[in-house]
Amino acid sequence: MIIALKQGISRAEAEALVASLEKQGVAVDFSEGAAQIVLGLVGDTTAINDEALRANHLVENVIRVQEPYKRANRKFHPADTILEMPGADGKKVSIGGASFAVIAGPCSVESREQITSVARSVKKAGAAFLRGGAFKPRTSPYSFQGMGCQGLDLMLEARKETGLPIVTELMEISQLELFEEVDVIQVGARNMQNFALLKELGRSRKPILLKRGLASTLTELLMAAEYIMAGGNEKIVLCERGIRGFDNFARNTLDLALIPALKRKSHLPVIVDPSHATGLAWMVPAMSKAAIAAGADGLIVEVHNDPEHALCDGEQSITPEVFASLMESLHKYAALEGKSI
Ligand code: PEP
Ligand code: MN
């Protein structure tokens, strides 16, 4: 961090500021130019409050040279983070590194028949994880809100039958105790900056799938991950799920450029949700392939056995048949990127 002081500040005033900065645990490089004193802060500046410094009457400008996220930063952790857990049929599944992980299932759990049927189909087609929401964040309070605890139980039943680890969304802290058996906890786009929730998940040791907020920047996404990591939970998967753009030909704008940017800035695995990103089932295969080419570590895809009658997100859900043929073609694309499904 570099702090340029205002012109005309005396050496004594500058030294008083240096002393207060040193008390915060950083070393300060003092440089006195012809017109201005410039301070260079060396060491861990993550806890330095740059807003307070900007408000200081001695300070002209503050420039952060390093990113404000430390634990999520590739600079401090060059190797890719790889999450590993038991999968179906006694095999291990992983997200990150050389594997391309496909998470598939309905937007919401609707019935035992629906979730078990979709779970069987996606497993057969090669998905490594089953998705399905029990608690749903819906824009309208009059829309289907999810089956709640009963939905979670049905997800666990589907896991028992297929062996697929399950991914499901947690909407509030009070639900955490219900998620003990869940393999991966999803934090939805709308909760990406629910800091109380992120802190609580930092105390958990479960893998977290963190979705990008509807209008969040790359830094905000990584700072949300940092909240969880600061609590000691480093098992995080980032997810690009489309952001608000100016055009509405699709539900959202899939920000493919975020993927290489995140991979460069952070060691955390990055997956793509082509379903919420587009809102249209027919676009899902093309965007899935694009995600692989952009360097993603996996996908989370909505698959429904009867999209026309789905209680949530039918228009963006692909059928088990389309999913099976998509999976077949994805092997080739993944291989080109040095990954295997
Ligand atoms: C979901 O995956 O079911 C979901 C609600 O996604 P998002 O939070 O990205 O809108
Ligand atoms: Mn959905």
Side-chain angles (χ1 to χ4, degrees):
M1 182 183 279
I2 295 164
I3 305 169
L5 302 189
K6 288 188 179 142
Q7 289 196 6
I9 297 297
S10 72
R11 193 164 232 280
E13 285 176 304
E15 278 170 359
L17 179 60
V18 168
S20 84
L21 289 165
E22 282 172 344
K23 271 199 207 128
Q24 296 177 60
V26 290
V28 182
D29 179 63
F30 196 99
S31 150
E32 194 163 5
Q36 197 176 19
I37 294 170
V38 175
L39 309 177
L41 271 51
V42 185
D44 182 6
T45 59
T46 42
I48 301 278
N49 182 346
D50 30 343
E51 281 170 24
L53 274 175
R54 279 196 186 91
N56 187 304
H57 67 286
L58 304 175
V59 172
E60 170 81 33
N61 197 9
V62 178
I63 301 162
R64 263 204 188 270
V65 183
Q66 274 190 356
E67 294 90 351
Y69 44 88
K70 195 170 156 64
R71 290 174 171 84
N73 200 322
R74 202 183 267 285
K75 271 188 205 146
F76 304 108
H77 187 305
D80 284 341
T81 285
I82 303 172
L83 303 188
E84 229 183 23
M85 63 196 84
D89 307 324
K91 293 186 201 126
K92 278 213 145 100
V93 285
S94 39
I95 313 182
S99 68
F100 190 81
V102 180
I103 304 167
C107 177
S108 312
V109 183
E110 297 171 11
S111 67
R112 175 175 289 119
E113 295 66 40
Q114 174 241 20
I115 191 67
T116 45
S117 153
V118 176
R120 278 188 210 123
S121 318
V122 298
K123 180 187 178 186
K124 189 154 172 252
F129 296 82
L130 175 67
R131 67 150 287 152
F135 300 96
K136 295 302 303 175
R138 303 303 303 277
T139 301
S140 165
Y142 309 116
S143 303
F144 174 58
Q145 301 286 306
M147 289 181 77
C149 298
Q150 215 189 336
L152 266 187
D153 289 343
L154 293 175
M155 283 296 280
L156 292 170
E157 272 185 38
R159 177 179 68 185
K160 202 162 175 200
E161 191 191 315
T162 58
L164 291 177
I166 57 170
V167 181
T168 191
E169 179 165 352
L170 175 103
M171 280 174 51
E172 48 182 280
I173 297 173
S174 63
Q175 291 162 352
L176 198 52
E177 61 191 73
L178 304 170
F179 279 59
E180 221 144 86
E181 297 292 312
V182 169
D183 300 285
V184 179
I185 298 178
Q186 177 173 325
V187 174
R190 290 151 192 84
N191 262 325
M192 190 204 84
Q193 285 191 318
N194 180 340
F195 300 118
L197 181 63
L198 299 176
K199 280 186 193 167
E200 200 59 38
L201 293 173
R203 284 189 271 276
S204 148
R205 289 297 169 265
K206 291 227 179 259
I208 310 294
L209 171 57
L210 179 62
K211 299 189 94 177
R212 181 190 193 180
L214 275 67
S216 298
T217 64
L218 173 147
T219 304
E220 285 164 345
L221 172 59
L222 288 175
M223 290 307 283
E226 193 77 13
Y227 258 93
I228 302 172
M229 298 175 96
N233 185 0
E234 311 237 312
K235 293 185 219 151
I236 300 171
V237 180
L238 304 169
C239 179
E240 158 59 20
R241 46 77 73 207
I243 47 173
R244 282 278 157 83
F246 60 86
D247 206 342
N248 62 358
F249 69 90
R251 183 174 176 180
N252 289 297
T253 299
L254 177 56
D255 185 8
L256 282 171
L258 182 82
I259 302 157
L262 279 176
K263 298 292 295 178
R264 178 176 284 229
K265 298 271 184 200
S266 176
H267 51 89
L268 296 172
V270 180
I271 69 166
V272 167
D273 176 344
S275 312
H276 291 90
T278 61
L280 298 163
W282 63 269
M283 283 190 187
V284 168
M287 292 301 100
S288 300
K289 294 167 194 167
I292 297 184
D297 297 300
L299 295 170
I300 178 164
V301 185
E302 286 186 346
V303 179
H304 198 288
N305 53 344
D306 185 8
E308 279 183 36
H309 297 102
L311 296 180
C312 181
D313 286 349
E315 200 182 356
Q316 69 192 33
S317 299
I318 56 175
T319 60
E321 295 71 34
V322 170
F323 179 69
S325 81
L326 172 63
M327 284 298 280
E328 238 171 77
S329 65
L330 291 186
H331 284 95
K332 291 198 293 278
Y333 289 84
L336 284 174
E337 296 299 320
K339 289 186 175 271
S340 62
I341 296 182

